[in-house]
Each structure stands twice: as structure tokens, then as C-alpha cells.
Amino acid sequence: MYMNIAIDGPAGAGKSTIARRVAKELGYLYVDTGAMYRAIALFLLRSGVDLSDEEAVSKQVKDCHVSLRYREGQQEVLLNGEDVSGLIRTEEVGNAASASSVYPKVRDQLTRLQRELAAQENLVMDGRDIGTTVLPHASLKIYLTASAKTRALRRAKEYEAQGKAFDLEQIQRDIEERDDRDMHRKISPLAQAKDAVRIDSSQMSIDQVVERILQLAEEGIK
């Protein structure tokens, strides 16, 4: 049986950065499910479909194929064969992913792929519903969170480093709105699994969070 580590939590909590580091330290495969949902969202944005129209989205998504490819240890996200890894990290795509991921057809399509990967590899997978829905029998479950203010400041620093303009208050409002959507959607809402370890990273460094998860993983492996 393979060791699967599930890391869930709200937007901007640092799940991808932490999960990638943990996977590297353990020599496990890293699966960024958020990137997969962002790829579908990019496809839908390009198609011009109304994201509030479930029937239209469900019909359109049938023509969308998302897959993962690993080159030199780096995950690449492919959308109908196109590497879109560098195109899916905008706020527009992130908000579209939050809006479109509520639909069963979208979730079913990606959940199948995610479970297939977990059945074949030791891996670290992060997202919103990994421990509760996608991998309910994961060896270790983490719920990683931080205050909305902290998450907004972190996102602003990323934009600043990239030379992008930003409005800190708007970033925080967007984060809070995404939290509300993710936590109250009908299908697989964001929630802490009963057997998940909660880690609030508001006052923690990345290294401290990684060290804590590695410690928990080592205890689980024993």
C-alpha cells in the first residue's frame, strides 16, 4: 500500500509550496490538484462560457482534458496537450476555478485521475477536499490554514516580487469570498477531515511547517 499524504486548506495558505517541499524531502510524487482545477477554469474562460450556468459548463468541460507531466522533478499541467503551467496562476483564473469547481461534472473528471495517481505512487496531494473526499483513506491528513489577513499579505508579496500592481484590501476580499464559496458549495465543500492534523501557519515559517509535517509523516511510516 502506498503512502498518501493529503494537505487541505483555504486559498493562499501555502499548500502548494509546503506540499512540494514535503514531497521533495520524502522523495514522493507531488500532485497539485488546484492547478488541475485552474487548467479547467482557463479552458472555460477561453471558451467564453457563462460560469454561473452549470449546464453550459458541464457540456463544455467534456472537450477539456487535463493531465500532469513531470520533467526533471517539476510538475507541468497540460490542457489538451498544451503546457499551461505558467498561465494558470492569475487571480482571474483562480476565481474562475473556485466558481467552476462546484459542479459535479468538473469534479468527477479530475477526482478519477487523482485517485488513479494515488493508487500507483507514494505521493503528497494538496487541495480543498483531498482528505475528506478524494483520498478519505490517506495515510496522513493535514489541514493547513492561516488568517485571511496573513494570506492576503503573502499574496501581495508574491505580486510585489513579480513587479505586478495590487490592491491589498481587494486581495483580502477576494480570499474571503473564495473561502465562503469553497466552504459552502454543495459538492465536497472545504472542511477539515475529522482525523486531520490542523496546522495554523499564521505565525510559522515555511520551514517550520514542513518540519512539522515531516515529523508527522515519519511517525506514520513507523
Side-chain angles (χ1 to χ4, degrees):
M1 184 175 179
Y2 292 101
M3 177 80 171
N4 295 160
I5 299 176
I7 301 181
D8 291 310
K15 298 185 300 296
S16 296
T17 300
I18 300 298
R20 191 178 291 108
R21 282 273 304 274
V22 170
K24 184 177 181 180
E25 291 289 336
L26 293 172
Y28 288 5
L29 184 69
Y30 165 58
V31 180
D32 178 358
T33 63
M36 298 167 77
Y37 281 102
R38 282 172 175 265
I40 284 186
L42 177 62
F43 172 82
L44 294 171
L45 286 171
R46 286 176 170 179
S47 72
V49 69
D50 181 357
L51 295 180
S52 65
D53 186 336
E54 180 177 356
E55 184 177 352
V57 169
S58 298
K59 182 178 180 180
Q60 192 73 34
V61 82
K62 292 178 182 178
D63 296 323
C64 176
H65 179 68
V66 176
S67 58
L68 301 178
R69 178 174 66 192
Y70 295 86
R71 287 189 174 180
E72 299 178 358
Q74 295 298 312
Q75 174 184 273
E76 295 180 351
V77 184
L78 305 181
L79 172 59
N80 292 337
E82 175 193 356
D83 181 3
V84 295
S85 306
L87 303 176
I88 58 176
R89 294 302 176 183
T90 66
E91 282 295 306
E92 181 187 19
V93 172
N95 289 330
S98 180
S100 59
S101 64
V102 301
Y103 302 130
K105 291 291 185 183
V106 174
R107 303 200 70 81
D108 289 348
Q109 189 162 326
L110 292 185
T111 297
R112 259 194 319 273
L113 174 59
Q114 292 155 8
R115 286 176 175 165
E116 287 173 6
L117 289 170
Q120 300 168 10
E121 303 273 358
N122 291 320
L123 56 75
V124 180
M125 186 180 291
D126 73 285
R128 301 285 194 282
D129 64 342
I130 310 305
T132 55
T133 303
V134 180
L135 303 178
H137 303 298
S139 315
L140 172 63
K141 300 178 186 178
I142 302 294
Y143 188 83
L144 180 63
T145 189
S147 68
K149 182 177 181 180
T150 297
R151 288 181 278 145
L153 286 169
R154 290 173 179 171
R155 187 63 55 83
K157 286 182 180 179
E158 290 177 3
Y159 288 148
E160 187 174 31
Q162 297 167 6
K164 295 180 179 179
F166 62 87
D167 180 331
L168 182 59
E169 291 184 357
Q170 184 60 52
I171 292 174
Q172 184 167 336
R173 282 195 295 271
D174 287 344
I175 284 175
E176 290 170 344
E177 288 174 5
R178 285 190 64 184
D179 285 352
D180 185 69
R181 283 199 304 270
D182 291 342
M183 291 178 179
H184 294 93
R185 66 192 183 201
K186 292 181 180 180
I187 306 296
S188 298
L190 169 64
Q192 179 177 338
K194 292 180 180 179
D195 52 347
V197 177
R198 186 184 185 90
I199 299 178
D200 188 325
S201 68
S202 298
Q203 304 299 321
M204 298 174 72
S205 68
I206 290 175
D207 288 344
Q208 288 173 325
V209 177
V210 169
E211 184 178 351
R212 175 60 177 144
I213 296 176
L214 290 174
Q215 179 185 28
L216 291 167
E218 185 177 346
E219 292 172 0
I221 292 171
K222 290 179 180 177

